[in-house]
Amino acid sequence: MPNLTIITPSNLLKEKVQASFLSEYPVEVKYNTINIHIFKPTPSTFKQNHGIQGKKIILGVASVWNERKGLDNFIELSRLLEGKQLEVNNQED
């Protein structure tokens, strides 16, 4: 297939592609890419409605919340932010 470039979300998957029958094609890593024309900051009253104007929000989302998906990073972040307002919501559908 001419002009094919394979995009993977991690170096691990890139290495797997390069070791497979697809190894003849170039492989690029693009971490968690999103359409920035759709997903972008928009005017909102969310912070005002929740009394957190002027504060930063750190959001982590994963279908499975474990170390592989960065849970350990959020645990370390909570230690660094100790004494600050912190809310962790681990909700499953």
Side-chain angles (χ1 to χ4, degrees), residues 1-2 6 9 13-14 25 31-33 35 38 51-53 55 60-61 65-67 77 81 84 87 93:
M1 201 178 252
I6 299 171
L13 289 177
K14 177 182 180 179
Y25 300 105
Y31 300 100
N32 296 323
T33 59
N35 184 334
I38 294 173
I52 55 173
Q53 307 89 302
K55 297 188 178 193
V61 179
W65 199 238
N66 58 26
E67 187 174 303
L77 182 59
L81 297 173
K84 309 276 186 196
E87 180 178 332
D93 288 338

Side-chain angles (χ1 to χ4, degrees), residues 55-60 74 77 81 86-87:
K55 297 188 178 193
K56 303 277 186 200
I57 296 174
I58 301 170
L59 174 66
F74 272 80
L77 182 59
L81 297 173
L86 179 67
E87 180 178 332

Side-chain angles (χ1 to χ4, degrees), residues 6-79:
I6 299 171
I7 308 296
T8 68
S10 70
N11 282 317
L12 175 67
L13 289 177
K14 177 182 180 179
E15 291 169 9
K16 291 194 179 284
V17 170
Q18 290 173 327
S20 77
F21 69 96
L22 298 169
S23 62
E24 66 186 88
Y25 300 105
V27 182
E28 295 179 16
V29 176
K30 296 203 177 187
Y31 300 100
N32 296 323
T33 59
I34 61 168
N35 184 334
I36 60 172
H37 300 291
I38 294 173
F39 299 99
K40 60 185 179 211
T42 58
S44 170
T45 59
F46 179 85
K47 287 185 174 185
Q48 187 176 26
N49 294 347
H50 292 85
I52 55 173
Q53 307 89 302
K55 297 188 178 193
K56 303 277 186 200
I57 296 174
I58 301 170
L59 174 66
V61 179
S63 60
V64 176
W65 199 238
N66 58 26
E67 187 174 303
R68 194 173 137 272
K69 291 294 186 177
L71 179 60
D72 55 331
N73 295 323
F74 272 80
I75 292 170
E76 178 61 21
L77 182 59
S78 72
R79 288 187 191 113

